[in-house]
Amino acid sequence: MKMLNNDILIRLRYALDIKDTDMVEMFRLGGVDLRKDDVQLMLKKVDEEEDDGLSEDYIRVNNAMMEQFLNGLVTFKRGKRPGENGSPPLSGENVNNQLLKKLKIALSLTSEDMLGLLELAGVRVSKGELSAILRKAGHKNYRECGDKFARNFLKGLTLKYRE
């Protein structure tokens, strides 16, 4: 089953125990101005079959918004880079790959930390496999991160930070 960006936000918010007001701030730091009500509409669970994308009580998070949120999360956790004005440009890269890269930066994780989180979720991968996912798109050893891998990483994050 395809993981929606809204699902990623819900899981990430739970795993890191992020308040709605902090989510608003993270979006703002990433260049998206939202209200707390908007964030709550993004976090609403919706059945994929029933959602026609036109529901007025649900906001679907597109890839650009997700990347902006992740950029804002990094800035929120680590602060602005010296000399940085505004939010970084969008890369258009696979959302799951961005998720892992940005969480690695925001939470100051090492590759060993990331492998440990995956192991908590019951997934064993080699350092080389993780490295391929963290590479820049277009690199000869780049590998796209699948939904199942991202879901397991978020599960490991939840197990570590919530229990």
Side-chain angles (χ1 to χ4, degrees), residues 65-92:
M65 285 175 74
M66 188 68 204
E67 184 172 356
Q68 289 170 305
F69 172 78
L70 292 170
N71 289 338
L73 173 67
V74 170
T75 304
F76 185 84
K77 292 282 192 183
R78 304 279 305 255
K80 280 197 179 270
R81 293 162 112 178
E84 184 180 274
N85 295 333
S87 53
L90 301 180
S91 71

Side-chain angles (χ1 to χ4, degrees), residues 47-128:
D47 186 9
E48 181 76 15
E49 282 79 43
E50 292 177 22
D51 177 38
D52 56 7
L54 302 173
S55 176
E56 49 199 64
D57 60 344
Y58 175 70
I59 296 175
R60 184 171 288 223
V61 178
N62 63 30
N63 290 351
M65 285 175 74
M66 188 68 204
E67 184 172 356
Q68 289 170 305
F69 172 78
L70 292 170
N71 289 338
L73 173 67
V74 170
T75 304
F76 185 84
K77 292 282 192 183
R78 304 279 305 255
K80 280 197 179 270
R81 293 162 112 178
E84 184 180 274
N85 295 333
S87 53
L90 301 180
S91 71
E93 189 180 4
N94 176 321
V95 171
N96 293 336
N97 289 69
Q98 286 180 40
L99 174 69
L100 266 61
K101 288 178 187 178
K102 304 283 179 167
L103 285 175
K104 182 177 190 212
I105 295 166
L107 302 176
S108 304
L109 299 173
T110 63
S111 292
E112 286 78 20
D113 295 334
M114 294 181 81
L115 292 171
L117 290 171
L118 287 162
E119 201 165 308
L120 277 175
V123 177
R124 288 183 159 261
V125 294
S126 70
K127 227 176 183 177

